[in-house]
Amino acid sequence: MTYAIEGSTGPWEVVVGLEVHAQVISKSKLFSGAATAFGAEPNAQVSFVDAAFPGMLPVPNAECVAQAVRTGLGLNAKINLVSRFDRKNYFYADLPSGYQISQYEKPIVGSGAIEIELADGSTKSIGVTRLHLEQDAGKSLHDQDPTKSYIDLNRAGVALMEIVSEPDIHSPDEAGAYVRKLRSIMRYLGTCDGNMEEGSLRADVNVSVRKPGEAFRTRCEIKNVNSVRFVMQAVEAEATRQIEVWESGGTVRQETRLFDSARGTTRPMRSKEDAHDYRYFPDPDLPPLVLDKAWVNELGKKLPELPDAKRARFMAEHGLSAYDAAVLVAERANADFFEATAHRRDAKQAANWITGDLFATLNRTGRTIEQSPVSAENLGKLLDLIADDTISGKIAKDVFAVMAETGEAPDAIVEARGWRQVKDSGAIDAAVAAIVAANPDKVAEYRGGKEKMFGFFVGQVMKAMAGKGNPALVNEAVRRHLSP
Amino acid sequence: MFALSLAEARAALRARTISAVELTDAYLGAIEALNPQLNAYVLVMPEAARAQAAAADAALARGEAGALTGIPLAIKDLFCTKGVRTTAASRILEPFIPPYESTVTANLLRDGAVFLGKANMDEFAMGSSNMTSAFGPVTNPWTRRGDNRPLVPGGSSGGSAAAVAARLALGATATDTGGSIRQPAGFCGLVGIKPTYGRCSRWGVVAFASSLDQAGPLARTVEDAAILLGSMAGYDPKDATSADLPVPDFSAACARGVKGLRIGIPREYVSDGMAPEIGALWEQGRAWLQDAGATIVDVSLPHTKYALATYYIVAPAEASSNLARYDGVRFGLRREGADLTELYENTRAEGFGAEVKRRVLIGTYVLSAGYYDAYYLRAQKVRALILRDFTEVFRDVDALLTPTAPSAAFGQGEKMDDPVTMYLNDVFTVPANMAGIPGISVPAGLDAQGLPLGLQVLGKPFDEETVFAVAAALERAAVFWALPTIRAGR
């Protein structure tokens, strides 16, 4: 069960700790009033504070602080009522003030935990060491001019949460599950949109390997990995590399590395980028951040239901399997869609339609649930049409296909195409009688004991009725006509 | 006209016996005549000042006078002034024209003040002599009896002090990180108050050491200083360290008297090599306050002797970080290089003067891995002890009386060989910055060579009113009438 990589000297365990940088959802930056929207023209969202003009001062944005507290509460973590901002000093062209305001010694959130679900259905708790607030830097554009670098400060000063895990992660799958779960929790909370393509979520991956039972060996940090898949690949690639180093008699050096997604390998960053002495010290422009206990409690009361609680409720209330429940709660929008569809209906059937046909359609067309052509209301109506025998389950698949294509309501589709089930026993009897009359040899076979022929008759009748015959009534009529 | 104090000029303007334009013209004329000699201003703004004065006259005619309507002031070149070159007396900010107005100067403009120009200073406010300015030294309007050699006005607010002392402004803004208001006040025979940390907004003031910097006025009388501080002070949500407290009526506090107050005399404020006149003046001050009805108490501030060393760790540490933004990338001086590192090196090598470089190096050193605990962290601990000294002593007394500086003004070029000798100028003023408490310097007498000497009053946090009351009592008793050698209206 335990993940291990088999080396030439035997099995190796992998030890992983993650530092996730999550961009806080807020209208304005951590210490200035400038906007944070993605995709603006370069340098369109820069205040004099962000550009570190002389005499400009940072003032903490209360909404960013609240978002960090919400996230901390969502991770069941300790909220530190007194925290502090520190300066991390280094020179770079996209760091206007020459220091990043971060929280070094006293983060706003202390230890917590995240429960991850693994492929085999088991769960595991991963410790969260801390969460702190910090500013993002700007962006250096090196590809705009052959000799110059361009600087875009739109991101400079945007609030990030750095969430540090304990080294409790022991496989690529666990690393992936951790990032997915953390992302899911933050999206539920509305504190980070988790959009890895836009850089709203990035991970620094700390990897080491050891023989079973050993203490930790030297770790390497892989910087700025920007997708769940790459996190998983980076863990495996780096662990494999380290095992090779150890097994060939070498020593793993503590260093910062980059993941090359094209090659699927890690490589060291230039040592220059790594040789900083950040000279951390408390930011004298910012008094300690003191939170009111009652305010924190108030935020706690207003937290939405989080994925773990929702999953448990879906299992208890709707009788879903652990797997279906986990799939449905991963994204809040999916869970909401499910609940809207399942309301006063067969929840398991609703879950099957959503995790089956709907997700398949969305995947195929590259849409999110928010862009689904089939609304929860219409999917619910489709379930109703099945439940009251207006259509059969088989026809329902066809109706769904039309819904996915056109976005039309299922009742309208059924009416327009005349797909309503035939429940008129006279019509069914007539259809059955015609099939029986046309196939005397098959009738004889059936009556001679070849019971499998029963299906042939049902199929022929259904075909003759364009699939609209009520299956139960058709079965009953076929049985009646075939009985000697 | 130059004999009028700010309060008197204000009364005359309101009575319409003089006009703001007349007053401003007189001061602009004085600047034209004497600034070449004193170098107190690095930028004079005659057109803007005349326009402000004309607007002031219009306001006065409408009977809409603010606290400072028509009062011509000098603005230390550390305060960002919208559309007006601001340099911090450093080459690295050339050129820099701020697109914003500092909160303190905006408050003064709100109250109707006229800005004559930007005052010279030590580069980035680092110095006690005004010798480190990129625009050259400022000359103290005072001279030793029978000796014309130029003296320093003190620093870092040397231009502000020289301007006010020589009647090139009715008052001036200044800043005080380790004594930069009070020491020049002492050297130039002026009143200068550093209010409680947080009383004046730091927004728009070029930062030196953020946990110590505080703006305040330089003026000729205690009342003038009270009027100016009343306008400059106030809560500013743009400065997270600004105090959300109402601004008291400082002028009214000047008339309170000291009857019943307990005044502490800290025994640690005696320095080796302190001029004998300074010890005598301190004694005199003690007697004056006693005569005015105060009770004098000998007190101890045992950690005083560590204050200067601690200051020269904390202030450079913060400065090394605050000055990182002067990198040639976005504003100010830029000296190209083959790569980014060279751009930094070329720009900062040429842009910063020797004293600034020294402090950036010290600050970088004390924050470095392996030295942080021994220097910066220990300094912060000592700083807490210094604050505790004051907190304990202020349980027993209402204010403290000390000398402002260990000497009178010294000659330009003196004390330049060893930076530590220069740093010792701040020995009596630095503790107030470390503790964040208010301190004022009042001219109280002359030394044997005819140079002014100041006495310092320190008070409880946010109790500038008592500080003004004690300062005004000293002023009344001292009857300081001496005038500088170089001055307008002679």
Side-chain angles (χ1 to χ4, degrees), chain A residues 398-429:
Chain A
D398 298 335
V399 176
F400 182 87
V402 178
M403 290 165 74
E405 193 63 40
T406 66
E408 284 172 51
D411 37 3
I413 295 168
V414 168
E415 286 312 319
R417 309 200 178 208
W419 282 352
R420 187 176 278 275
Q421 253 187 150
V422 175
K423 286 186 278 187
D424 171 357
S425 51
I428 292 170
D429 268 350

PDB file of all heavy atoms in Angstrom, chain A residues 398-429:
ATOM      1  N   ASP A 398     -31.578   9.635 -25.375  1.00  0.00           N
ATOM      2  CA  ASP A 398     -31.700  10.412 -26.611  1.00  0.00           C
ATOM      3  C   ASP A 398     -32.132  11.837 -26.316  1.00  0.00           C
ATOM      4  O   ASP A 398     -31.660  12.787 -26.933  1.00  0.00           O
ATOM      5  CB  ASP A 398     -32.740   9.748 -27.551  1.00  0.00           C
ATOM      6  CG  ASP A 398     -32.293   8.338 -27.959  1.00  0.00           C
ATOM      7  OD1 ASP A 398     -31.068   8.094 -27.929  1.00  0.00           O
ATOM      8  OD2 ASP A 398     -33.170   7.521 -28.274  1.00  0.00           O
ATOM      9  N   VAL A 399     -33.088  11.943 -25.359  1.00  0.00           N
ATOM     10  CA  VAL A 399     -33.554  13.286 -24.988  1.00  0.00           C
ATOM     11  C   VAL A 399     -32.368  14.085 -24.465  1.00  0.00           C
ATOM     12  O   VAL A 399     -32.162  15.249 -24.822  1.00  0.00           O
ATOM     13  CB  VAL A 399     -34.671  13.215 -23.923  1.00  0.00           C
ATOM     14  CG1 VAL A 399     -35.085  14.614 -23.483  1.00  0.00           C
ATOM     15  CG2 VAL A 399     -35.866  12.437 -24.471  1.00  0.00           C
ATOM     16  N   PHE A 400     -31.552  13.463 -23.605  1.00  0.00           N
ATOM     17  CA  PHE A 400     -30.404  14.160 -23.022  1.00  0.00           C
ATOM     18  C   PHE A 400     -29.450  14.638 -24.123  1.00  0.00           C
ATOM     19  O   PHE A 400     -28.943  15.760 -24.077  1.00  0.00           O
ATOM     20  CB  PHE A 400     -29.655  13.256 -22.041  1.00  0.00           C
ATOM     21  CG  PHE A 400     -28.501  13.951 -21.381  1.00  0.00           C
ATOM     22  CD1 PHE A 400     -28.698  14.691 -20.223  1.00  0.00           C
ATOM     23  CD2 PHE A 400     -27.229  13.907 -21.933  1.00  0.00           C
ATOM     24  CE1 PHE A 400     -27.646  15.363 -19.638  1.00  0.00           C
ATOM     25  CE2 PHE A 400     -26.167  14.576 -21.351  1.00  0.00           C
ATOM     26  CZ  PHE A 400     -26.371  15.308 -20.194  1.00  0.00           C
ATOM     27  N   ALA A 401     -29.255  13.766 -25.130  1.00  0.00           N
ATOM     28  CA  ALA A 401     -28.341  14.143 -26.211  1.00  0.00           C
ATOM     29  C   ALA A 401     -28.838  15.405 -26.911  1.00  0.00           C
ATOM     30  O   ALA A 401     -28.045  16.300 -27.249  1.00  0.00           O
ATOM     31  CB  ALA A 401     -28.215  12.994 -27.207  1.00  0.00           C
ATOM     32  N   VAL A 402     -30.151  15.500 -27.095  1.00  0.00           N
ATOM     33  CA  VAL A 402     -30.715  16.696 -27.744  1.00  0.00           C
ATOM     34  C   VAL A 402     -30.564  17.902 -26.816  1.00  0.00           C
ATOM     35  O   VAL A 402     -30.221  19.007 -27.242  1.00  0.00           O
ATOM     36  CB  VAL A 402     -32.199  16.469 -28.124  1.00  0.00           C
ATOM     37  CG1 VAL A 402     -32.768  17.744 -28.750  1.00  0.00           C
ATOM     38  CG2 VAL A 402     -32.331  15.291 -29.085  1.00  0.00           C
ATOM     39  N   MET A 403     -30.833  17.665 -25.519  1.00  0.00           N
ATOM     40  CA  MET A 403     -30.680  18.754 -24.540  1.00  0.00           C
ATOM     41  C   MET A 403     -29.253  19.298 -24.572  1.00  0.00           C
ATOM     42  O   MET A 403     -29.032  20.514 -24.549  1.00  0.00           O
ATOM     43  CB  MET A 403     -30.984  18.246 -23.120  1.00  0.00           C
ATOM     44  CG  MET A 403     -32.455  17.931 -22.869  1.00  0.00           C
ATOM     45  SD  MET A 403     -32.675  16.942 -21.367  1.00  0.00           S
ATOM     46  CE  MET A 403     -32.369  18.176 -20.113  1.00  0.00           C
ATOM     47  N   ALA A 404     -28.281  18.395 -24.621  1.00  0.00           N
ATOM     48  CA  ALA A 404     -26.877  18.805 -24.610  1.00  0.00           C
ATOM     49  C   ALA A 404     -26.535  19.577 -25.888  1.00  0.00           C
ATOM     50  O   ALA A 404     -25.700  20.483 -25.887  1.00  0.00           O
ATOM     51  CB  ALA A 404     -25.980  17.590 -24.469  1.00  0.00           C
ATOM     52  N   GLU A 405     -27.241  19.233 -26.960  1.00  0.00           N
ATOM     53  CA  GLU A 405     -26.968  19.887 -28.237  1.00  0.00           C
ATOM     54  C   GLU A 405     -27.630  21.253 -28.304  1.00  0.00           C
ATOM     55  O   GLU A 405     -27.009  22.235 -28.724  1.00  0.00           O
ATOM     56  CB  GLU A 405     -27.522  18.973 -29.349  1.00  0.00           C
ATOM     57  CG  GLU A 405     -27.067  19.320 -30.748  1.00  0.00           C
ATOM     58  CD  GLU A 405     -25.559  19.176 -30.903  1.00  0.00           C
ATOM     59  OE1 GLU A 405     -24.984  18.186 -30.346  1.00  0.00           O
ATOM     60  OE2 GLU A 405     -24.971  20.033 -31.546  1.00  0.00           O
ATOM     61  N   THR A 406     -28.902  21.301 -27.875  1.00  0.00           N
ATOM     62  CA  THR A 406     -29.717  22.501 -28.127  1.00  0.00           C
ATOM     63  C   THR A 406     -30.020  23.306 -26.874  1.00  0.00           C
ATOM     64  O   THR A 406     -30.407  24.470 -26.978  1.00  0.00           O
ATOM     65  CB  THR A 406     -31.075  22.107 -28.746  1.00  0.00           C
ATOM     66  OG1 THR A 406     -31.815  21.347 -27.760  1.00  0.00           O
ATOM     67  CG2 THR A 406     -30.882  21.262 -29.995  1.00  0.00           C
ATOM     68  N   GLY A 407     -29.884  22.683 -25.703  1.00  0.00           N
ATOM     69  CA  GLY A 407     -30.240  23.388 -24.475  1.00  0.00           C
ATOM     70  C   GLY A 407     -31.743  23.456 -24.253  1.00  0.00           C
ATOM     71  O   GLY A 407     -32.212  24.125 -23.341  1.00  0.00           O
ATOM     72  N   GLU A 408     -32.494  22.761 -25.092  1.00  0.00           N
ATOM     73  CA  GLU A 408     -33.956  22.803 -24.946  1.00  0.00           C
ATOM     74  C   GLU A 408     -34.416  22.036 -23.714  1.00  0.00           C
ATOM     75  O   GLU A 408     -33.694  21.181 -23.202  1.00  0.00           O
ATOM     76  CB  GLU A 408     -34.621  22.166 -26.181  1.00  0.00           C
ATOM     77  CG  GLU A 408     -34.624  23.040 -27.408  1.00  0.00           C
ATOM     78  CD  GLU A 408     -35.130  22.256 -28.613  1.00  0.00           C
ATOM     79  OE1 GLU A 408     -36.211  21.638 -28.520  1.00  0.00           O
ATOM     80  OE2 GLU A 408     -34.408  22.229 -29.649  1.00  0.00           O
ATOM     81  N   ALA A 409     -35.669  22.300 -23.284  1.00  0.00           N
ATOM     82  CA  ALA A 409     -36.242  21.594 -22.140  1.00  0.00           C
ATOM     83  C   ALA A 409     -36.676  20.199 -22.584  1.00  0.00           C
ATOM     84  O   ALA A 409     -37.126  20.025 -23.720  1.00  0.00           O
ATOM     85  CB  ALA A 409     -37.430  22.375 -21.583  1.00  0.00           C
ATOM     86  N   PRO A 410     -36.560  19.200 -21.713  1.00  0.00           N
ATOM     87  CA  PRO A 410     -36.826  17.815 -22.127  1.00  0.00           C
ATOM     88  C   PRO A 410     -38.283  17.579 -22.527  1.00  0.00           C
ATOM     89  O   PRO A 410     -38.541  16.830 -23.475  1.00  0.00           O
ATOM     90  CB  PRO A 410     -36.457  16.982 -20.896  1.00  0.00           C
ATOM     91  CG  PRO A 410     -36.471  17.938 -19.746  1.00  0.00           C
ATOM     92  CD  PRO A 410     -36.127  19.269 -20.324  1.00  0.00           C
ATOM     93  N   ASP A 411     -39.245  18.206 -21.824  1.00  0.00           N
ATOM     94  CA  ASP A 411     -40.650  17.971 -22.171  1.00  0.00           C
ATOM     95  C   ASP A 411     -40.917  18.465 -23.597  1.00  0.00           C
ATOM     96  O   ASP A 411     -41.618  17.823 -24.364  1.00  0.00           O
ATOM     97  CB  ASP A 411     -41.607  18.595 -21.146  1.00  0.00           C
ATOM     98  CG  ASP A 411     -41.118  19.930 -20.620  1.00  0.00           C
ATOM     99  OD1 ASP A 411     -40.048  20.396 -21.095  1.00  0.00           O
ATOM    100  OD2 ASP A 411     -41.782  20.500 -19.737  1.00  0.00           O
ATOM    101  N   ALA A 412     -40.326  19.598 -23.920  1.00  0.00           N
ATOM    102  CA  ALA A 412     -40.519  20.138 -25.277  1.00  0.00           C
ATOM    103  C   ALA A 412     -39.926  19.202 -26.322  1.00  0.00           C
ATOM    104  O   ALA A 412     -40.525  18.957 -27.385  1.00  0.00           O
ATOM    105  CB  ALA A 412     -39.879  21.517 -25.387  1.00  0.00           C
ATOM    106  N   ILE A 413     -38.753  18.667 -26.004  1.00  0.00           N
ATOM    107  CA  ILE A 413     -38.098  17.747 -26.945  1.00  0.00           C
ATOM    108  C   ILE A 413     -38.974  16.507 -27.153  1.00  0.00           C
ATOM    109  O   ILE A 413     -39.215  16.061 -28.281  1.00  0.00           O
ATOM    110  CB  ILE A 413     -36.708  17.341 -26.421  1.00  0.00           C
ATOM    111  CG1 ILE A 413     -35.792  18.564 -26.385  1.00  0.00           C
ATOM    112  CG2 ILE A 413     -36.095  16.230 -27.276  1.00  0.00           C
ATOM    113  CD1 ILE A 413     -34.496  18.351 -25.617  1.00  0.00           C
ATOM    114  N   VAL A 414     -39.467  15.959 -26.051  1.00  0.00           N
ATOM    115  CA  VAL A 414     -40.282  14.745 -26.106  1.00  0.00           C
ATOM    116  C   VAL A 414     -41.550  14.994 -26.933  1.00  0.00           C
ATOM    117  O   VAL A 414     -41.899  14.200 -27.798  1.00  0.00           O
ATOM    118  CB  VAL A 414     -40.629  14.261 -24.679  1.00  0.00           C
ATOM    119  CG1 VAL A 414     -41.712  13.173 -24.719  1.00  0.00           C
ATOM    120  CG2 VAL A 414     -39.367  13.745 -23.986  1.00  0.00           C
ATOM    121  N   GLU A 415     -42.179  16.150 -26.680  1.00  0.00           N
ATOM    122  CA  GLU A 415     -43.417  16.459 -27.414  1.00  0.00           C
ATOM    123  C   GLU A 415     -43.124  16.642 -28.896  1.00  0.00           C
ATOM    124  O   GLU A 415     -43.766  16.048 -29.751  1.00  0.00           O
ATOM    125  CB  GLU A 415     -44.072  17.736 -26.864  1.00  0.00           C
ATOM    126  CG  GLU A 415     -44.759  17.549 -25.506  1.00  0.00           C
ATOM    127  CD  GLU A 415     -45.672  16.315 -25.470  1.00  0.00           C
ATOM    128  OE1 GLU A 415     -46.391  16.063 -26.460  1.00  0.00           O
ATOM    129  OE2 GLU A 415     -45.632  15.598 -24.439  1.00  0.00           O
ATOM    130  N   ALA A 416     -42.117  17.490 -29.169  1.00  0.00           N
ATOM    131  CA  ALA A 416     -41.837  17.843 -30.563  1.00  0.00           C
ATOM    132  C   ALA A 416     -41.469  16.614 -31.385  1.00  0.00           C
ATOM    133  O   ALA A 416     -41.789  16.527 -32.569  1.00  0.00           O
ATOM    134  CB  ALA A 416     -40.709  18.868 -30.620  1.00  0.00           C
ATOM    135  N   ARG A 417     -40.800  15.676 -30.731  1.00  0.00           N
ATOM    136  CA  ARG A 417     -40.350  14.523 -31.520  1.00  0.00           C
ATOM    137  C   ARG A 417     -41.266  13.305 -31.346  1.00  0.00           C
ATOM    138  O   ARG A 417     -40.947  12.236 -31.836  1.00  0.00           O
ATOM    139  CB  ARG A 417     -38.922  14.146 -31.105  1.00  0.00           C
ATOM    140  CG  ARG A 417     -38.067  15.383 -31.143  1.00  0.00           C
ATOM    141  CD  ARG A 417     -36.605  15.129 -31.217  1.00  0.00           C
ATOM    142  NE  ARG A 417     -35.958  16.444 -31.302  1.00  0.00           N
ATOM    143  CZ  ARG A 417     -34.810  16.667 -31.891  1.00  0.00           C
ATOM    144  NH1 ARG A 417     -34.181  15.683 -32.449  1.00  0.00           N
ATOM    145  NH2 ARG A 417     -34.322  17.871 -31.926  1.00  0.00           N
ATOM    146  N   GLY A 418     -42.340  13.496 -30.569  1.00  0.00           N
ATOM    147  CA  GLY A 418     -43.282  12.391 -30.402  1.00  0.00           C
ATOM    148  C   GLY A 418     -42.673  11.205 -29.707  1.00  0.00           C
ATOM    149  O   GLY A 418     -42.897  10.066 -30.067  1.00  0.00           O
ATOM    150  N   TRP A 419     -41.783  11.514 -28.713  1.00  0.00           N
ATOM    151  CA  TRP A 419     -41.077  10.428 -28.042  1.00  0.00           C
ATOM    152  C   TRP A 419     -41.784   9.940 -26.791  1.00  0.00           C
ATOM    153  O   TRP A 419     -41.257   9.131 -26.060  1.00  0.00           O
ATOM    154  CB  TRP A 419     -39.647  10.899 -27.663  1.00  0.00           C
ATOM    155  CG  TRP A 419     -38.736  10.881 -28.872  1.00  0.00           C
ATOM    156  CD1 TRP A 419     -39.012  10.371 -30.097  1.00  0.00           C
ATOM    157  CD2 TRP A 419     -37.407  11.397 -28.910  1.00  0.00           C
ATOM    158  NE1 TRP A 419     -37.939  10.526 -30.933  1.00  0.00           N
ATOM    159  CE2 TRP A 419     -36.920  11.159 -30.227  1.00  0.00           C
ATOM    160  CE3 TRP A 419     -36.579  12.018 -28.007  1.00  0.00           C
ATOM    161  CZ2 TRP A 419     -35.651  11.543 -30.623  1.00  0.00           C
ATOM    162  CZ3 TRP A 419     -35.318  12.382 -28.402  1.00  0.00           C
ATOM    163  CH2 TRP A 419     -34.854  12.164 -29.703  1.00  0.00           C
ATOM    164  N   ARG A 420     -42.983  10.462 -26.602  1.00  0.00           N
ATOM    165  CA  ARG A 420     -43.734  10.037 -25.438  1.00  0.00           C
ATOM    166  C   ARG A 420     -43.936   8.520 -25.489  1.00  0.00           C
ATOM    167  O   ARG A 420     -44.244   7.962 -26.550  1.00  0.00           O
ATOM    168  CB  ARG A 420     -45.079  10.768 -25.453  1.00  0.00           C
ATOM    169  CG  ARG A 420     -45.933  10.585 -24.238  1.00  0.00           C
ATOM    170  CD  ARG A 420     -47.175  11.447 -24.345  1.00  0.00           C
ATOM    171  NE  ARG A 420     -46.893  12.816 -23.933  1.00  0.00           N
ATOM    172  CZ  ARG A 420     -46.927  13.199 -22.671  1.00  0.00           C
ATOM    173  NH1 ARG A 420     -47.234  12.343 -21.717  1.00  0.00           N
ATOM    174  NH2 ARG A 420     -46.670  14.443 -22.356  1.00  0.00           N
ATOM    175  N   GLN A 421     -43.833   7.875 -24.368  1.00  0.00           N
ATOM    176  CA  GLN A 421     -43.996   6.427 -24.323  1.00  0.00           C
ATOM    177  C   GLN A 421     -45.414   6.006 -24.699  1.00  0.00           C
ATOM    178  O   GLN A 421     -46.368   6.657 -24.314  1.00  0.00           O
ATOM    179  CB  GLN A 421     -43.766   5.964 -22.878  1.00  0.00           C
ATOM    180  CG  GLN A 421     -42.458   5.264 -22.700  1.00  0.00           C
ATOM    181  CD  GLN A 421     -42.296   4.665 -21.339  1.00  0.00           C
ATOM    182  OE1 GLN A 421     -41.624   3.693 -21.231  1.00  0.00           O
ATOM    183  NE2 GLN A 421     -42.897   5.232 -20.298  1.00  0.00           N
ATOM    184  N   VAL A 422     -45.514   4.912 -25.452  1.00  0.00           N
ATOM    185  CA  VAL A 422     -46.849   4.384 -25.766  1.00  0.00           C
ATOM    186  C   VAL A 422     -47.268   3.457 -24.636  1.00  0.00           C
ATOM    187  O   VAL A 422     -46.602   2.456 -24.366  1.00  0.00           O
ATOM    188  CB  VAL A 422     -46.834   3.635 -27.118  1.00  0.00           C
ATOM    189  CG1 VAL A 422     -48.187   2.988 -27.378  1.00  0.00           C
ATOM    190  CG2 VAL A 422     -46.453   4.590 -28.239  1.00  0.00           C
ATOM    191  N   LYS A 423     -48.366   3.796 -23.963  1.00  0.00           N
ATOM    192  CA  LYS A 423     -48.841   2.965 -22.857  1.00  0.00           C
ATOM    193  C   LYS A 423     -50.223   2.370 -23.185  1.00  0.00           C
ATOM    194  O   LYS A 423     -50.836   1.711 -22.385  1.00  0.00           O
ATOM    195  CB  LYS A 423     -48.902   3.824 -21.572  1.00  0.00           C
ATOM    196  CG  LYS A 423     -47.485   4.107 -21.022  1.00  0.00           C
ATOM    197  CD  LYS A 423     -47.501   4.822 -19.683  1.00  0.00           C
ATOM    198  CE  LYS A 423     -47.696   6.306 -19.888  1.00  0.00           C
ATOM    199  NZ  LYS A 423     -47.544   7.063 -18.626  1.00  0.00           N
ATOM    200  N   ASP A 424     -50.645   2.645 -24.419  1.00  0.00           N
ATOM    201  CA  ASP A 424     -51.943   2.163 -24.886  1.00  0.00           C
ATOM    202  C   ASP A 424     -51.804   0.662 -25.152  1.00  0.00           C
ATOM    203  O   ASP A 424     -51.128   0.231 -26.088  1.00  0.00           O
ATOM    204  CB  ASP A 424     -52.299   2.948 -26.157  1.00  0.00           C
ATOM    205  CG  ASP A 424     -53.532   2.388 -26.859  1.00  0.00           C
ATOM    206  OD1 ASP A 424     -54.054   1.354 -26.382  1.00  0.00           O
ATOM    207  OD2 ASP A 424     -53.937   3.001 -27.848  1.00  0.00           O
ATOM    208  N   SER A 425     -52.469  -0.176 -24.331  1.00  0.00           N
ATOM    209  CA  SER A 425     -52.255  -1.615 -24.451  1.00  0.00           C
ATOM    210  C   SER A 425     -52.780  -2.143 -25.781  1.00  0.00           C
ATOM    211  O   SER A 425     -52.270  -3.127 -26.313  1.00  0.00           O
ATOM    212  CB  SER A 425     -52.885  -2.361 -23.269  1.00  0.00           C
ATOM    213  OG  SER A 425     -54.228  -1.954 -23.100  1.00  0.00           O
ATOM    214  N   GLY A 426     -53.782  -1.459 -26.351  1.00  0.00           N
ATOM    215  CA  GLY A 426     -54.304  -1.870 -27.659  1.00  0.00           C
ATOM    216  C   GLY A 426     -53.229  -1.754 -28.725  1.00  0.00           C
ATOM    217  O   GLY A 426     -52.978  -2.688 -29.492  1.00  0.00           O
ATOM    218  N   ALA A 427     -52.534  -0.607 -28.729  1.00  0.00           N
ATOM    219  CA  ALA A 427     -51.486  -0.375 -29.727  1.00  0.00           C
ATOM    220  C   ALA A 427     -50.342  -1.354 -29.535  1.00  0.00           C
ATOM    221  O   ALA A 427     -49.795  -1.910 -30.505  1.00  0.00           O
ATOM    222  CB  ALA A 427     -50.985   1.067 -29.615  1.00  0.00           C
ATOM    223  N   ILE A 428     -50.012  -1.571 -28.262  1.00  0.00           N
ATOM    224  CA  ILE A 428     -48.928  -2.509 -27.990  1.00  0.00           C
ATOM    225  C   ILE A 428     -49.316  -3.917 -28.425  1.00  0.00           C
ATOM    226  O   ILE A 428     -48.535  -4.614 -29.097  1.00  0.00           O
ATOM    227  CB  ILE A 428     -48.556  -2.464 -26.489  1.00  0.00           C
ATOM    228  CG1 ILE A 428     -47.921  -1.097 -26.168  1.00  0.00           C
ATOM    229  CG2 ILE A 428     -47.578  -3.599 -26.126  1.00  0.00           C
ATOM    230  CD1 ILE A 428     -47.724  -0.839 -24.694  1.00  0.00           C
ATOM    231  N   ASP A 429     -50.546  -4.332 -28.076  1.00  0.00           N
ATOM    232  CA  ASP A 429     -51.021  -5.656 -28.476  1.00  0.00           C
ATOM    233  C   ASP A 429     -50.953  -5.840 -29.985  1.00  0.00           C
ATOM    234  O   ASP A 429     -50.488  -6.873 -30.485  1.00  0.00           O
ATOM    235  CB  ASP A 429     -52.494  -5.840 -28.031  1.00  0.00           C
ATOM    236  CG  ASP A 429     -52.552  -6.478 -26.646  1.00  0.00           C
ATOM    237  OD1 ASP A 429     -51.462  -6.925 -26.166  1.00  0.00           O
ATOM    238  OD2 ASP A 429     -53.632  -6.517 -26.048  1.00  0.00           O
TER     239      ASP A 429
END
